[in-house]
Amino acid sequence: MQKKHWISRKAHGFRKRHNCLTNAQVHAGKKYILNIDVKNFFPSITSIAYRNYATRERNLMETKYKDEDRGFPNLFFYAATPVFHSGSLPQGAPTSPFISNIYMRRFDTQIEKLLRQYISDDILYTRYVDDLTFSSNSRAVERVIPIVRGKLKSLRLEINDDKTKFMSPSQRQEITGINVNSGRPTIGKAYRRKVRAIVHRAEQGWVITSAQKERLLGMISHIALCHPSEAAKYRDALLPVSISPNSARMFSGVNRVKLPVKKTRSKKKQSNSNAGVTGANRTVKRKIAIDKKGEVHDID
């Protein structure tokens, strides 16, 4: 479906043999990194804007690749199909990333050349869906924002300033969830410790639903991008883990997971003061919660 000339090589999201790891690898070893987030990315791509883009691109691309596979007239097909819901690309639809990659093709192709001409000749650029990453060995990469803002405006897109982040060598440099400080992509230790803790608790009998297990396997798959052997251990550890009968419950917000009931023996508790003897048969029931970020919390 993804024609040779439809999508730029700078796009790493939802392309064959491309992912967040290949996106981060491009910038590994650079001193300064700038991450820019596009505000309301999918809803901002409307059917009208897409049709206008297709009109501009059709003649140019058909002329340039006239001796090759001519698939560009089909660009108009997507503008007339239900891939646009209420006039814009719906968030979460499987077709939205593909259409957005087509829509961003010219921006992806031109922006790096433009910035190398006016800012610094060593700037690198990649895009993972709505995350734009620029890197350079010069702090001049900070000055790309006005140019990027202007080019995005021509596509009816705007920068989310709250999520724009400049990272120097003294800071943790993270691109699409992958650290590149060491010159090679790695998954942060905090993230890996979090997954290891959840897997350990699951092994100890903490009940999880099938939806929660699926989410945990997704987190393990993210670790596998840079640490395959470590991820393999976590997958093996989850194989014998029992699943809660309430498997139909979706992982939304905070799901409360009850531990199996544990009974303790009655025993006498010695007091350091003049208090009497205490202790009785009791049932201990603990609850935990796993939030969207994978954090595990005890619930009183």
Side-chain angles (χ1 to χ4, degrees), residues 21-273:
L21 174 60
T22 62
N23 181 64
Q25 283 175 330
V26 174
H27 306 280
K30 289 292 185 179
K31 291 183 178 180
Y32 302 97
I33 296 174
L34 177 68
N35 282 340
I36 294 178
D37 179 81
V38 181
K39 189 175 183 179
N40 297 324
F41 183 59
F42 290 127
S44 297
I45 302 177
T46 64
S47 58
I48 295 175
Y50 179 83
R51 184 178 293 276
N52 292 336
Y53 163 81
T55 301
R56 293 193 303 269
E57 291 293 291
R58 182 178 59 179
N59 294 334
L60 176 62
M61 300 307 297
E62 284 194 324
T63 300
K64 186 175 181 179
Y65 302 109
K66 61 182 178 181
D67 296 328
E68 301 183 27
D69 182 15
R70 300 176 64 183
F72 277 88
N74 289 333
L75 290 176
F76 287 97
F77 167 77
Y78 298 111
T81 60
V83 296
F84 288 93
H85 178 70
S86 298
S88 62
L89 289 181
Q91 188 81 29
T95 53
S96 294
F98 172 69
I99 301 299
S100 66
N101 278 342
I102 297 176
Y103 185 70
M104 294 292 292
R105 190 198 69 83
R106 184 153 297 279
F107 175 90
D108 293 338
T109 303
Q110 294 180 346
I111 192 64
E112 183 178 277
K113 298 176 182 177
L114 186 65
L115 296 176
R116 287 191 173 193
Q117 180 180 356
Y118 291 101
I119 304 297
S120 177
D121 59 4
D122 72 334
I123 285 181
L124 295 176
Y125 161 75
T126 59
R127 180 179 60 83
Y128 189 85
V129 192
D130 60 347
D131 291 325
L132 283 54
T133 304
F134 304 85
S135 64
S136 173
N137 288 324
S138 169
R139 289 190 67 98
V141 71
E142 288 183 283
R143 304 201 305 266
V144 309
I145 295 179
I147 297 177
V148 174
R149 194 187 302 275
K151 296 295 289 185
L152 289 176
K153 188 176 181 180
S154 66
L155 293 171
R156 300 185 180 183
L157 300 173
E158 59 179 305
I159 293 176
N160 187 343
D161 293 315
D162 294 335
K163 293 186 178 180
T164 296
K165 186 176 182 181
F166 174 76
M167 294 165 286
S168 65
S170 61
Q171 298 173 299
R172 186 179 67 177
Q173 297 176 326
E174 187 174 271
I175 303 171
T176 53
I178 296 177
N179 296 344
V180 294
N181 286 83
S182 62
R184 64 181 181 85
T186 60
I187 305 299
K189 291 182 180 180
Y191 187 93
R192 289 154 60 191
R193 282 197 298 267
K194 180 195 305 180
V195 172
R196 183 168 63 246
I198 298 174
V199 172
H200 175 72
R201 294 184 181 187
E203 288 182 290
Q204 299 303 312
W206 294 47
V207 182
I208 60 176
T209 66
S210 60
Q212 289 172 332
K213 184 175 182 179
E214 183 179 351
R215 187 176 185 86
L216 181 55
L217 287 173
M219 297 172 71
I220 294 173
S221 296
H222 184 64
I223 294 177
L225 291 173
C226 301
H227 311 279
S229 58
E230 180 179 343
K233 293 179 181 179
Y234 296 151
R235 289 196 184 100
D236 293 341
L238 284 179
L239 289 177
V241 172
S242 59
I243 304 299
S244 168
N246 189 15
S247 58
R249 183 173 56 181
M250 299 301 294
F251 195 97
S252 176
V254 176
N255 283 343
R256 298 184 176 184
V257 185
K258 295 182 180 180
L259 279 175
V261 174
K262 296 180 181 179
K263 294 184 178 180
T264 60
R265 295 180 180 178
S266 62
K267 59 181 181 180
K268 295 183 178 180
K269 184 177 180 180
Q270 300 295 333
S271 174
N272 295 329
S273 59

